[in-house]
Amino acid sequence: MNFLNFLISGVSLGSVYAIIALGYTMVYGIAKMLNFAHGDVIMVGAYVCFFAISRYSLPPLLGVLLAVLLCTVLGIVIEKLAYKPLRAAPSLAVLITAIGVSYFLQNAAQLLWTSNPKVFPSFLDFGETGGIELFGGQLRVSYITIVTIAACVVIMLALTAFTGNTKMGKAMRACSEDKGAAQLMGINVNTTISVTFAIGSGLAAIAGVLLCSAYPTLVPTTGSMPGIKAFTAAVFGGIGSIPGAFLGGLLLGVIEILAKAYISTQLSDAIVFAVLIVVLLIKPTGLLGKPVNEKV
Amino acid sequence: MTNILKVEDIHVYYGAIHAIKGVSFQVGEGEIVTLIGANGAGKTTTLQTVSGLLRARSGGIEFCGEPIGRVPAHKIVERGLAQVPEGRRIFLRMTVQENLEMGAYTNNRDVADALDYVYAQFPRLKERRRQIGGTLSGGEQQMLAMGRALMSRPKLMMLDEPSMGLAPILVEQIFEIIANLHKNGTTILLVEQNAQMALSVADRAYVMETGKITLSGTGKELAASEEVKKAYLGG
């Protein structure tokens, strides 16, 4: 029964990674850049939600919506100000800029909200136990776990439907393959990239709220480690692939929790990255990443 | 005959490299005009400048009487100018039909009609409409790239090296299709290294060499010209 408990918390943590990884992977797929500031958008989302609920006593759902809205705008603004001017620059310049944006967000958060930890409100603790008990109380699944996993599945399905069936979604896939050809089709590449950042950052806000609901200490660096883990998850699953990010996130969460439970808490991150290295050695494109077979 | 495209003394640079040195040419409505020349002469650069992917440092480009030299690439398609890029550049991970839908991105009215039209021109594409672009053969990919450009119902279609990398029998097929499209009223600007084939279908032709136009005339005149024969037709 213990194992099942660990597995469920692994899937739950993995769902948060997956939601973050989806944003990473979409931005990488379309803008061909690693947005290292993505993790810090999570932190901003969590702070916005925290202040909305704890300071201004707004209803939790409204707090989450506000966080999503602000992060969406933040994502678009970051892209416009920091990345768009570098569209033609070498990728290393963009990468360094992304790291700069990441530190900028962390330091801005420190200045605005201090580095004192905030305790994120647990707004999903209904009833006495805050969850469902199974097998006569041996297995407890908290509501936040259920909400996290459900949110992740819904988001993955929604994104798959969006990129597969809508005009904008297809334009994104076209841009991710060949921006020049996409322009020749009449697709506005800048708009498409903006929409991608908007979606990714909105998802980051949701991930931030879910993450802090499960691990309620909120500091300006809250987003950086999950951001790096989610990036790992995206690479693990095959960067650029939506189902890959989902699978990579879940696996990463499960491996991390099981390693913590059965091997060593200190070594868990090392084990996670060791697994990543082994996977990449065997399959360099990640679990679901496909090299394109180009016929000429 | 009215000019649908008028390129006037354009200069294009890649950084410090002066790639196009004052090129001028016109395409009249209903014509097939070809731009021939060796590798590196600047043919593709010229086309990409017309379609807005590159910018000319000086000179003017007019399409249907309006200047388009400063119009972003994605807005140029809307005006009726479509390009079939060099190397086809179809979306390899998308299905044939999705590729065609992308071609109709700016066309919100009659996507279904445009699809019918393209499928009528290329029955092969209809058979393969659910197949992923990357699994098509080279000839089929070229057909898809041409079909995709036709989806926007262009007034002028620019083709960049449609014969590149194709077996001779497929080259003939592609040129038959080009001649057909022309018969159906599409104006065509064709860039080719295969000068013989290009001159055989063209109404008029321009020869490019190191960023300049060195010769021009009707397709027949150039095919008969000693200079062209020596340099491009292997004789």
Side-chain angles (χ1 to χ4, degrees):
Chain A
M1 209 49 71
N2 257 342
F3 176 74
L4 213 55
N5 261 323
F6 291 137
L7 195 66
I8 289 170
S9 39
V11 171
S12 172
L13 177 64
S15 297
V16 175
Y17 288 158
I19 297 172
I20 310 171
L22 285 169
Y24 250 117
T25 228
M26 283 183 75
V27 166
Y28 177 82
I30 288 140
K32 293 286 178 283
M33 65 161 291
L34 296 171
N35 180 19
F36 274 117
H38 194 64
D40 303 291
V41 178
I42 296 166
M43 173 273 295
V44 174
Y47 268 105
V48 171
C49 189
F50 166 81
F51 281 109
I53 298 174
S54 293
R55 290 284 161 84
Y56 300 103
S57 315
L58 295 177
L61 200 62
L62 198 64
V64 177
L65 277 178
L66 204 63
V68 170
L69 200 72
L70 276 170
C71 284
T72 305
V73 174
L74 179 67
I76 296 173
V77 170
I78 290 175
E79 197 277 324
K80 278 267 173 315
L81 293 182
Y83 304 146
K84 195 182 167 197
L86 297 174
R87 201 64 44 83
S91 57
L92 213 52
V94 186
L95 187 72
I96 291 166
T97 307
I99 294 172
V101 172
S102 165
Y103 279 112
F104 174 80
L105 289 177
Q106 284 179 24
N107 290 342
Q110 217 166 49
L111 209 63
L112 283 172
W113 306 315
T114 75
S115 52
N116 292 334
K118 306 268 188 291
V119 180
F120 199 80
S122 44
F123 56 82
L124 277 163
D125 282 357
F126 311 117
E128 281 174 35
T129 55
I132 307 170
E133 293 194 342
L134 297 166
F135 306 109
Q138 288 186 65
L139 183 66
R140 205 183 68 84
V141 186
S142 68
Y143 290 125
I144 181 67
T145 304
I146 297 169
V147 169
T148 304
I149 297 171
C152 176
V153 172
V154 168
I155 287 169
M156 208 280 287
L157 293 177
L159 278 184
T160 309
F162 174 71
T163 52
N165 301 319
T166 66
K167 197 171 173 183
M168 183 38 101
K170 287 179 190 175
M172 282 183 175
R173 281 158 61 208
C175 282
S176 90
E177 276 200 48
D178 187 334
K179 285 194 193 56
Q183 273 176 291
L184 291 180
M185 302 298 109
I187 296 170
N188 186 338
V189 173
N190 284 329
T191 307
T192 313
I193 292 179
S194 274
V195 171
T196 311
F197 269 84
I199 293 174
S201 306
L203 292 182
I206 295 176
V209 172
L210 293 171
L211 181 77
C212 289
S213 297
Y215 303 87
T217 320
L218 178 55
V219 289
T221 51
T222 288
S224 59
M225 202 54 195
I228 290 174
K229 294 267 181 62
F231 167 57
T232 312
V235 175
F236 196 26
I239 195 142
S241 149
I242 287 175
F246 177 72
L247 183 68
L250 287 188
L251 281 176
L252 203 78
V254 169
I255 295 169
E256 183 179 331
I257 294 289
L258 291 184
K260 272 191 178 135
Y262 293 110
I263 306 172
S264 151
T265 316
Q266 284 88 9
L267 280 179
S268 69
D269 286 345
I271 293 165
V272 167
F273 285 98
V275 173
L276 172 77
I277 291 169
V278 171
V279 168
L280 290 185
L281 281 176
I282 299 166
K283 205 163 178 301
T285 50
L287 293 172
L288 299 183
K290 275 184 225 129
V292 175
N293 296 316
E294 191 174 344
K295 270 191 191 169
V296 180
Chain B
M1 186 170 51
T2 48
N3 279 335
I4 192 163
L5 178 72
K6 199 166 144 199
V7 174
E8 213 147 288
D9 194 29
I10 55 166
H11 290 259
V12 184
Y13 292 77
Y14 287 110
I17 299 163
H18 195 176
I20 303 293
K21 303 162 188 160
V23 162
S24 307
F25 63 91
Q26 296 90 37
V27 181
E29 203 166 348
E31 274 190 311
I32 297 191
V33 172
T34 182
L35 219 55
I36 57 174
N39 223 344
K43 307 182 301 289
T44 295
T45 306
T46 305
L47 276 203
Q48 292 194 330
T49 309
V50 173
S51 62
L53 289 179
L54 296 174
R55 289 264 169 261
R57 199 173 281 180
S58 63
I61 304 169
E62 259 181 35
F63 180 66
C64 296
E66 285 172 50
I68 57 165
R70 291 282 168 264
V71 177
H74 67 268
K75 289 263 167 81
I76 287 181
V77 198
E78 247 169 286
R79 297 175 177 228
L81 202 167
Q83 188 187 343
V84 182
E86 184 180 11
R88 311 182 258 279
R89 288 169 75 174
I90 61 160
F91 302 114
L92 296 167
R93 292 173 206 235
M94 299 173 85
T95 65
V96 167
Q97 180 134 350
E98 283 173 335
N99 266 281
L100 294 176
E101 284 168 16
M102 288 297 102
Y105 194 79
T106 55
N107 170 353
N108 293 314
R109 282 157 296 132
D110 53 354
V111 179
D113 284 354
L115 261 181
D116 285 345
Y117 173 70
V118 170
Y119 282 151
Q121 299 282 326
F122 304 100
R124 195 57 160 291
L125 294 182
K126 189 170 188 182
E127 283 166 33
R128 315 226 148 176
R129 65 186 179 279
R130 290 186 211 297
Q131 224 169 296
I132 297 293
T135 64
L136 299 181
S137 71
E140 287 164 347
Q141 288 191 5
Q142 186 59 52
M143 288 179 200
L144 179 54
M146 290 164 72
R148 190 177 64 172
L150 284 174
M151 288 296 289
S152 64
R153 295 293 178 92
K155 293 178 197 144
L156 170 64
M157 184 151 126
M158 303 194 294
L159 293 131
D160 196 349
E161 304 267 4
S163 75
M164 193 172 77
L166 297 182
I169 182 148
L170 283 172
V171 174
E172 271 180 38
Q173 218 177 330
I174 294 293
F175 272 89
E176 248 167 62
I177 293 168
I178 293 171
N180 250 330
L181 290 176
H182 177 232
K183 228 182 278 164
N184 294 339
T186 314
T187 307
I188 288 169
L189 173 58
L190 173 66
V191 156
E192 259 300 342
Q193 275 193 64
N194 189 335
Q196 197 168 5
M197 285 305 278
L199 290 175
S200 73
V201 295
D203 298 315
R204 287 187 307 112
Y206 295 87
V207 178
M208 268 190 96
E209 258 170 66
T210 56
K212 286 180 190 150
I213 286 181
T214 51
L215 267 177
S216 65
T218 65
K220 274 192 195 117
E221 279 168 14
L222 287 192
S225 130
E226 285 305 318
E227 273 175 78
V228 173
K229 264 190 201 161
K230 220 181 275 167
Y232 304 106
L233 301 177

